[in-house]
Amino acid sequence: MLMELWEIRQASIPILGLSMGDAHNELTLLHLRLIRLRNGLEALLICDPDVNDVDDESTEEDNVDRTEDTNAQCESDMLLDLSNDSQYNCTGLGSEDFVFNAKRRLGFHPDEEGGPSRTPILKTIKLDKLTNRFRQGKQRKHPNLGKESKKAEEPEKDLTIKNAAAAMCVGVGSMADPPEAQGLAHYLEHMLFMGSTKFPDENEYDKFLSQHGGNSNAYTDQEFTCFYFDVRNRNLRDALDRFAQFFLSPLVKVDAMDREIQAIESEFVQAAGNDMNRLCQVQCYTALPSHPFHRFSWGNKKSLHDDPVNKGIDMRAKLLQLYHEDYRAGRMKLVILGGDSLDTLQNWVVSLFGQIKEGGDGRLIIHGERRIWEPNRMYRVAAGTEQNLVALNFPLPCLETAYLTKPHDYFGHIIGHEGQGSLLALLRRKGWARSMTAGCGDNGLETNQMLFLFTIRITLTNHGVEHVMEVIGLLFQYLKMLRSLGPQEWIFQEQNAVSKLNFEHFEDPAQDDYVASLATNMFLYTKAHVLYGDYAHDIWDPAMITELLAQLIPVNMRADLLLHRFDKTSSDVQMEPWFETAFTVETIPTALLKLWADPPCVDSSLRLQEPNMFIPHDITIVPSKEDGSKNPSCLLDSAALKVWHRCNPILNTPRVNACFSIMFWPPTKKIIDAVLAELYLIRLSNQLNETLYLADVAKLETSLSLSGYRIELKIFGFSEKLPVLAQKIASQMQNLASTELEFKSSVEVLAEEYKRANEKPIDHAAYLLTQALSKRFWDVDHRYNCLQILAFQDFTKFVANLFCKTYIECFVDGNATKKQALALAKIFKEALVSCPFPLQERPTNCVVRLPTGTSMLYMEKVKCEFEKNSVVHSYFQLGQDRGKDSMRLRSLMTLFIDIISEPFFNQLRTKEQIGYVVDLADEDLHGVLGISFMVQSAKYSPAYIESRINAFIKTIPKMLKDMKDTEFQSHKESLIAEKQGYPSTLIDESNDFWEQIWTHRRNAGIYLIPTSTL
């Protein structure tokens, strides 16, 4: 009756972030089961013991039968017996041996209490490698878009409270759009949220999730449409009931269609301001007319309403046609992650999803050739922002079945390398480029069933634009060098080593993102590798690498040059009709193609990278007895240095998150100091680039940022090589060298950053709020003017005196002893502190206090010429955050936002369609708390938007007065559960503590306090 039952030992395979348990070293089991219903739906069920509410009490509305469903049909009627299905056989794996050995290692027998499900096993697949990693940067996004809670008085428990989650991925996307209704798949995705026969209220689904600590989302890609949500575990069954109606009986009401088309239009307008979206659409528009790429997959009001109406097309009929033809069970993959048993989850699937119409066989087949565009062409495209970029695209065969080899990752790693001898290092020395990426993107245009599109993107300086043909020539010199050297197995094995480390010691993703990733993976990988496929670098195949390298040639290349300075008056300018992007097309000269195809020589500075010194080999975990505290402790507090430490006893990871606040002395305390400090950080980042890149490849990630007169440094990754990296960073910070040419390059970078600042209206509004409320604030335009008059001598003098007075505060969290934490802090103290920065001289931030009844209006025009959106940001100041004394205020603010956010979104976004972005958020500006109502709209004026925000605010008192006690308690309990549990990843948890240290709230235990306050 079941196809597969997978049981994994937590100690050896840390699935879903489970760690070794408590001090008794108990093992936790994660149960997985893959079933197929007779209608063709495949579902992956995951029982995670950590996904559970804290006690056994529940409200009446939450009392559901968690062992069987009386509405479920008999399993024999609904489940398909796959015991003889050869598609799922795993050659060479002994299923019986694996099951026996797994049970023996885990120390239980099939009939023992707490053992695995007693459902008969028809087939077991051995998963020797698994992962729960959300495909960060690899989620297939639309390339156009986008038991009851523990009582407060009980003592805190060491546990992680996770939400349950579910996702449904449908194997049809934008490539199924008919020419007369482009964007139809995206439109249908929106409409499935707008009510069903069983739950006709358009807001029922989102309202239910909001009341029970959950969220929902969806995306449409070229080949897939994915819907997903998370919710408290005790409410999972009811959430699934509402979710299942998407695929059973959506209403697709005409009035809702009219409103959602406005949402899609707003989404389109928002996408139009992004240069990469505009370039992507030019690439689609210039594709051969017969190719599936030749389409407009975003959709907007024109493509989905105005044009179809003018042609007499019934769009509701079109939506229902797509739904009935392709939203079939055989084209769907469902993933459910919860705390209930596999049998319970299975019964819910049978009951709720068993009636989905059968039909479909995997994802929709799309037919198309690898030849996408006319050959030997360069397209010059107008950029809307201050950037220049060259993108070189090479169509390759579809490589989905080669996921155990990932040859495109091999090329992306080598060509996109930033260390010594790399192409980027050479281009930077010449002053032609700033950054570079290489590889196959994960959106449906770059990885699909027809082809993989290998893309190299190089961000050019203004000087580099003048030498773009030479830049491309150097790329082909580098490729010639790679062909002469042949495939390098040691490089592949480095990739393999890092992937295995990252897999075996991953950190939890968000539950909803995780299930969405797995649902898509069920289409892409064999059943045995659904969880592991993203990490796999198992098979070294030099022949395949050689074959693909032979296709990275000029005649198989499309070149796009995105230009900030573009002459739109030229007679040969064309216009992409949807985003109205200007571009020109030119044929690359034959002589140049021949030169690139076989360069006469290779620049002597180009060579393969050296072995990566930052790849760890020792992943020993510090015993939790080193420091069992849940909260950071202060190890040292001196005039020059303060050190916080925690040896995270719960997450039990070989990683460390080290955070540093380095306060330096501003000589003049004027705007010139702020600008010079930004130049210093740019120059430092460039000087460290090759080192930080190597560390990043080895999953030792670094971030450098500037806030006033404080440098914030964060290093996160495997602990073994972290001191080595810290030593290199500290040395460069103290001994930063710069030539006048490098200074001028940094000035150019900063000038462009100033020009690009606040291009997005939402960012601009937040900037204006900070400007209005901050006592000391240097406006970006003033900083730009100051930058223009700076000389190289100003910079060298500033750097020489930068650390004449210094104060460092740091927090070391994770796999480090107290001694190691102090040693790490000492590295920076010895390098940067010559004289302590006295407390009374340190700069402070002050916020303008708004007296009760104050009303201020700040108006400003948007910056980008393509921008059609307006933003209204209504801010309400609440008061200062003074640690424990303000916990009630902070808790009330959090609870208020949790209750009001969904009605605010429902009223202004769903019902009134005022704008696509409708948000209610908390504000913490230098320790002053506030609440912001924010709306972005391309349709209405700011005055009208403000009037609708104010109209909604006036309804809040009555809304709260009329709220049922059960609804209020549900919101409160969801927040209590959230505050009781720890974040599921080291970096999230330590960043929460670090934020309190950085803002000088000091109360490192504050994370746990709101439970009792709520």
Side-chain angles (χ1 to χ4, degrees), residues 376 587-597:
N376 308 331
T587 301
I588 301 173
T590 302
L592 195 54
L593 290 171
K594 289 182 178 180
L595 177 65
W596 290 345

Side-chain angles (χ1 to χ4, degrees), residues 582-831:
F583 70 95
T584 61
V585 187
E586 61 189 69
T587 301
I588 301 173
T590 302
L592 195 54
L593 290 171
K594 289 182 178 180
L595 177 65
W596 290 345
D598 187 18
C601 63
V602 174
D603 192 289
S604 60
S605 61
L606 294 175
R607 62 183 185 275
L608 280 180
Q609 66 262 34
E610 298 293 327
N612 193 334
M613 65 184 301
F614 292 107
I615 295 178
H617 303 287
D618 181 2
I619 53 173
T620 303
I621 297 177
V622 173
S624 59
K625 63 182 180 181
E626 158 71 21
D627 183 356
S629 174
K630 295 183 298 184
N631 300 325
S633 58
C634 184
L635 303 183
L636 176 66
D637 189 0
S638 69
L641 176 67
K642 189 166 188 176
V643 182
W644 298 84
H645 169 260
R646 189 182 64 147
C647 183
N648 201 311
I650 293 178
L651 295 179
N652 203 32
T653 171
R655 292 184 173 92
V656 165
N657 193 28
C659 306
F660 298 84
S661 166
I662 304 169
M663 182 177 289
F664 56 87
W665 180 67
T668 68
K669 296 184 181 179
K670 295 181 180 179
I671 190 172
I672 189 174
D673 292 336
V675 176
L676 286 169
E678 290 178 295
L679 283 173
Y680 169 83
L681 201 67
I682 290 172
R683 182 71 201 105
L684 176 64
S685 298
N686 289 338
Q687 187 82 0
L688 285 168
N689 181 75
E690 295 179 3
T691 297
L692 298 186
Y693 173 80
L694 291 173
D696 186 73
V697 169
K699 303 305 177 184
L700 193 55
E701 301 164 2
T702 306
S703 70
L704 277 163
S705 60
L706 186 68
S707 177
Y709 302 121
R710 286 194 293 172
I711 297 171
E712 183 182 46
L713 167 66
K714 292 183 177 181
I715 310 175
F716 172 73
F718 295 106
S719 57
E720 181 193 2
K721 299 299 179 72
L722 193 146
V724 178
L725 178 60
Q727 187 69 59
K728 291 180 177 294
I729 294 173
S731 176
Q732 289 293 336
M733 291 182 73
Q734 175 58 40
N735 304 299
L736 183 67
S738 181
T739 65
E740 188 164 3
L741 179 62
E742 290 168 336
F743 166 75
K744 290 180 179 179
S745 176
S746 298
V747 168
E748 182 182 336
V749 171
L750 186 56
E752 291 183 7
E753 288 184 3
Y754 285 157
K755 291 178 183 178
R756 288 199 304 266
N758 303 322
E759 286 179 338
K760 295 182 179 179
I762 287 180
D763 296 337
H764 197 181
Y767 169 87
L768 294 173
L769 174 65
T770 304
Q771 182 185 52
L773 295 176
S774 299
K775 183 177 180 180
R776 186 183 73 243
F777 188 91
W778 308 120
D779 181 75
V780 66
D781 293 332
H782 295 161
R783 282 184 278 168
Y784 178 82
N785 293 334
C786 177
L787 178 66
Q788 301 308 306
I789 62 174
L790 288 178
F792 179 54
Q793 292 73 18
D794 298 321
F795 180 70
T796 55
K797 182 179 178 180
F798 176 83
V799 172
N801 295 286
L802 182 60
F803 297 113
C804 65
K805 293 182 182 180
T806 313
Y807 177 72
I808 300 174
E809 188 165 17
C810 72
F811 173 39
V812 181
D813 188 21
N815 194 41
T817 64
K818 294 178 181 179
K819 182 178 180 180
Q820 289 169 334
L822 289 169
L824 190 64
K826 185 179 179 182
I827 291 173
F828 288 92
K829 179 180 180 294
E830 291 182 347

Side-chain angles (χ1 to χ4, degrees), residues 874 904 907-908 912 933 943-957 959:
S874 293
F904 181 51
Q907 182 62 38
L908 271 70
E912 298 186 30
F933 294 81
Y944 182 75
I945 298 171
E946 183 190 20
S947 71
R948 298 316 302 153
I949 292 176
N950 291 337
F952 173 82
I953 291 174
K954 291 178 180 179
T955 69
I956 293 177
M959 188 187 310

Side-chain angles (χ1 to χ4, degrees), residues 551-584:
Q551 299 183 47
L552 302 183
I553 53 178
V555 294
N556 189 39
M557 177 189 74
R558 171 197 168 109
D560 291 285
L561 185 57
L562 189 67
L563 296 169
H564 172 61
R565 295 171 183 168
F566 182 92
D567 183 9
K568 297 181 181 179
T569 64
S570 176
S571 60
D572 58 348
V573 171
Q574 302 181 47
M575 192 69 66
E576 188 282 316
W578 297 106
F579 286 124
E580 298 181 347
T581 304
F583 70 95
T584 61

Side-chain angles (χ1 to χ4, degrees), residues 359-395:
D361 185 15
R363 63 179 146 167
L364 186 68
I365 302 299
I366 305 296
H367 299 283
E369 298 179 359
R370 276 176 51 200
R371 185 183 175 219
I372 309 171
W373 303 285
E374 292 292 341
N376 308 331
R377 299 291 192 272
M378 172 173 278
Y379 298 79
R380 298 177 184 264
V381 183
T385 58
E386 295 276 341
Q387 72 166 321
N388 300 300
L389 177 142
V390 61
L392 308 173
N393 306 277
F394 300 85

Side-chain angles (χ1 to χ4, degrees), residues 51-63 66 147-154 157 159 161-162 212 232-235 340 965-966 968-978 980:
V51 177
N52 227 325
D53 299 302
V54 180
D55 62 30
D56 295 323
E57 298 178 17
S58 60
T59 61
E60 182 176 348
E61 64 173 306
D62 294 321
N63 286 332
R66 312 193 77 82
K147 308 174 179 172
E148 190 167 345
S149 301
K150 181 175 59 173
K151 292 183 175 63
E153 62 269 19
E154 291 181 356
K157 298 179 182 179
L159 59 98
I161 297 176
K162 299 180 184 177
H212 298 97
R232 284 191 304 173
N233 186 66
R234 72 178 188 181
N235 304 108
D340 292 276
D965 286 344
T966 54
F968 176 77
Q969 289 298 325
S970 181
H971 281 285
K972 191 172 76 169
E973 289 169 3
S974 293
L975 284 176
I976 289 173
E978 178 184 333
Q980 282 177 331

